[in-house]
Amino acid sequence: MKPKARPAAGRLLYAQSGGVTAVINATAAGVIQTARAHGVKVYAARNGILGALREELIDTGKETAAAIEALRHTPGGAFGSCRYKLKSLDANRAEYERLIEVLRAHDIRWFLYNGGNDSADTALKISQLGKAMGYDIRCIGVPKTVDNDLAVTDCCPGFGSVAKYTAVSTLEASLDVASMADTSTKVFILEVMGRHAGWIAAASGLAGEGQDAPPHIILFPERVFDEAAFIAKVKATVERVGWCTVVASEGIRNARGQFLAEAGTRDAFGHTQLGGVAPVLAALVKDKLGYKYHWALPDYLQRAARHMASKTDADQAYAVGKAAVEYALKGMNAVMPVIVRTADAPYRWKIEPAALDKIANREKKMPANFLTRDGLGITAAARRYLAPLIQGEAPLPYGRDGLPKYVQLKNVAVAKRLPDFAH
């Protein structure tokens, strides 16, 4: 009989941040199952760092082993997420003092923050908190973002599944358009996420290869949008192929540096809100060429599509959660478990720790050699990088109603020990 792990002193707090993904809950499962194996009690913060500030904590120990295992195939954020960026210690000391109060009140010694660029920054700040305020807390950032724009890590958990969804959607929609192009739609435009980095748009290029295969045009934030070149390429493609599929990142800009789809508002992180680039492009096609068009905006569908998750992505998401707990219990601080690619074919990868200060507030964009000379497609180098990330299927259990059997956690609240916090 395997000996039971001896409990470690203190508790571990896990939180999810930013836009969720099809596999972020697989990371949560990796965290909780690994911590349980080490005898460590795990609390989760309700709605990310806000839950820590509000002392709204969840006792994951109240969940069954089966429920935690089911997180591995359940999309969304099981504990709630948020978009909230901590200011500097000097700018808002009260928030940091409150965090320490909450951590101390519940004997939390390890904090794992699962998110993207802004979340890595928050994780770094909290990792520095103990030294500045005399509390022993170890903080590990855990990678997650569909945008694939975190520095250091080869890829980001969440991206592989969005990439697979985008490539498949591009292929299937193009077959539809090709069927009707003679008497109906000539141009189909798919808008995908990607404010500053075109990784998701690039993944659409896996749908086909060659100038006549869709997508015929990919528009990246890394390249200035050239209206004349775009219209010329659409016209030439329709005349040659009979129809044209375009995939566009939401964040493409004109020569003046303006988003084509700027809505004039900002989100909680101070980022410009984008209002939809696909209809802008569709209007150009209509005005300049007169072609019948359709456009689609998958929006949340692309990051929630667990039925289209890649096995590679699901495996990596779980692995970073597992490694994060192991790093924390070893006493590591201000690090993130990152994915290191060791081979392309066959694809091989491993997990290693990387310093948070090398990741936070940095953004990984598409390398120049991943884009074709005209900036409207992907190269063989990009294909070698992207193709392994969408490999394999991650099957779902289905019920008699024909729908996936996703888990809904009980999320039992931990009793509060402090007065409410106003911020």
Side-chain angles (χ1 to χ4, degrees), residues 214-296:
H216 305 101
I217 300 172
I218 308 176
L219 301 175
F220 304 95
E222 288 86 353
R223 292 291 182 93
V224 171
F225 175 70
D226 183 330
E227 180 180 316
F230 169 70
I231 291 299
K233 184 73 178 281
V234 170
K235 185 174 187 293
T237 302
V238 171
E239 290 177 351
R240 186 181 69 254
V241 181
W243 52 282
C244 178
T245 291
V246 178
V247 177
S249 288
E250 62 181 343
I252 59 173
R253 298 172 185 252
N254 59 26
R256 296 186 297 278
Q258 299 171 316
F259 288 113
L260 264 66
E262 190 164 339
T265 56
R266 295 186 178 273
D267 66 15
F269 288 139
H271 302 147
T272 299
Q273 291 273 41
L274 304 184
V277 73
V280 174
L281 296 172
L284 278 175
V285 168
K286 181 181 179 182
D287 292 345
K288 302 292 184 180
L289 300 173
Y291 294 145
K292 185 173 181 180
Y293 63 82
H294 269 276
W295 59 266

Side-chain angles (χ1 to χ4, degrees), residues 5-182:
R6 185 166 58 186
R11 297 185 177 92
L12 183 148
L13 181 62
Y14 167 78
Q16 299 173 324
S17 178
V20 294
T21 79
V23 297
I24 189 174
N25 286 335
T27 299
V31 167
I32 296 168
Q33 290 179 336
T34 305
R36 286 183 176 184
H38 286 276
V40 174
K41 190 172 185 64
V42 178
Y43 286 170
R46 189 182 298 276
N47 299 325
I49 196 66
L50 290 176
L53 287 167
R54 295 167 179 165
E55 200 190 359
E56 294 177 353
L57 309 181
I58 294 165
D59 186 354
T60 70
K62 302 296 185 181
E63 307 293 344
T64 66
I68 298 304
E69 177 63 20
L71 286 177
R72 296 187 70 160
H73 66 257
T74 300
F79 306 108
S81 186
C82 72
R83 294 192 184 278
Y84 187 81
K85 187 170 182 175
L86 289 174
K87 297 177 182 177
S88 68
L89 182 58
D90 292 336
N92 199 341
R93 190 175 184 86
E95 281 191 336
Y96 289 91
E97 290 176 344
R98 170 64 174 189
L99 283 172
I100 289 295
E101 288 177 356
V102 173
L103 298 175
R104 181 177 283 117
H106 296 276
D107 193 25
I108 292 165
R109 297 294 171 175
W110 306 283
F111 179 66
L112 274 55
Y113 207 26
N114 195 179
N117 287 310
D118 290 301
S119 306
D121 177 68
T122 296
L124 178 61
K125 287 171 179 171
I126 298 174
S127 74
Q128 299 163 343
L129 197 57
K131 292 179 181 177
M133 304 189 71
Y135 185 74
D136 184 17
I137 180 72
R138 308 302 170 94
C139 184
I140 310 293
V142 190
K144 173 258 15 159
T145 175
V146 297
D147 292 322
N148 200 41
D149 59 356
L150 284 176
V152 183
T153 188
D154 176 73
C155 59
C156 302
F159 170 68
S161 295
V162 168
K164 191 179 185 83
Y165 177 92
T166 301
V168 171
S169 296
T170 300
L171 175 60
E172 292 178 340
S174 294
L175 290 170
D176 185 301
V177 174
S179 301
M180 299 291 293
D182 185 52

